[in-house]
Amino acid sequence: MTDTLPSATDVLIVGAGIAGASLAAALAPWRRVMLVEAEDTPGYHATGRSAAFWHETYGGPVVQPLSMASFETLANPAPEFSDRGFLSPRAALTIGHRTEAAAVDAFTAGFAAQGVAIERIHRGQIARRIPGVRADWTEAAYEAACSDIDVGGLHAAYLRAARRAGAVLATRAPFQSARRVTGGWAVQVAGHALHAETIVNAAGAWADQVAAACGVGPVGIQPYRRTLAQLRLAVPMPAELPLVIHVGGEFYFKGEAEGRIWLSPHDETPVEPHDVAPEEMDVAIAIDRLQSVIDWPIAAVERKWAGLRSFAPDRIPVFGVDPCDPGFVWCAGQGGFGIQTAPAIAALLAEQLGAPPAAGAIGRVDPAPFAATRFA
């Protein structure tokens, strides 16, 4: 355990990935906060295995306001939080086959109507940005603002900020159970008994299991396996290669250093929550899809990994009080966009738990579409 567990806290946050860590940092100046993590290190699962990009349109139109509002915090954090930003310019192409022009048109028009800086482009402009793209890939939407995220740096900054503000962090501390008592919850964590006024469920793929351990009904958080592979190419790769995402959701890839790319088949295989590993078939599918788009020869698959992306039934994040128990708070279902929305979700949920109202773009986001009460 990183810290000694106290006997009582105002807010117990279960899970120290990006969701729990960002909320702890936002809330700890105003409430007593304890953050418990079952693994040896925080962020072992989804946070530590992220593809690490900020892409405003990723996650769809309901999620977009959270991503947009989070951008300023990620790019230009307050100096007391970090002495540098967490974003590096990348740009993105949402790309389509010549038969998918209508889908790219609709994608572009829909997000342009929400104020996203997005440009419809065609074959010649695509080829300049992706040398070697095959002739049938003629449709794309271009977003200049897409950036890589330093996920490790961001997560560590949130944990430091939380602890500076007095939050307690305990690792190797699995949440076991909780029952309602006067003034809150009697909780068992790693064999240790404590009292918490409020429990926040930021347990990612395990969110429904944590709810069950508290006697709270599930909202239907389903984890899915997502595969990534790092490939070394046998040809030079342009340094300015954008993030490339298929408009139909069959792949994405982005350049890394020294002629390497990260590639995913954008798979979503429903699984039980566990320490997930990649399947060879999914890596092979990813490579086959890549080679249908570009003619770059592949020298080696250097490494491969998988992570868990967890969604609510409507694929929209869930944060706020439970519809049946106001002492139980959800912060779950962030899918593959939890990193890029963490500043907004943390600030909006912290406000519900006693922090001051969020300022700026985050304060203008309506939290109502994300409320757990929609599952009443």
Side-chain angles (χ1 to χ4, degrees), residues 112-124:
Q114 289 195 211
V116 176
I118 188 168
E119 177 188 359
R120 183 70 161 90
I121 66 173
H122 298 279
R123 169 69 194 174

Side-chain angles (χ1 to χ4, degrees), residues 43-88:
Y44 176 75
H45 291 287
T47 298
R49 307 180 198 192
S50 167
F53 54 75
W54 182 93
H55 182 206
E56 188 173 0
T57 58
Y58 200 61
V62 179
V63 174
Q64 181 267 338
L66 294 171
S67 300
M68 182 278 295
S70 297
F71 182 87
E72 186 61 28
T73 299
L74 296 171
N76 299 295
E80 63 270 21
F81 179 66
S82 176
D83 60 2
R84 62 179 181 85
F86 301 99
L87 300 182
S88 303

Side-chain angles (χ1 to χ4, degrees), residues 12 175-189 192-199 210-216 325 327-328:
L12 176 68
F175 181 88
Q176 294 169 305
S177 65
R179 60 182 176 83
R180 270 305 201 170
V181 295
T182 302
W185 299 89
V187 181
Q188 288 287 322
V189 173
H192 180 87
L194 58 97
H195 180 273
E197 291 181 17
T198 301
I199 294 173
V210 167
C214 298
V216 173
D325 191 330
F328 187 87

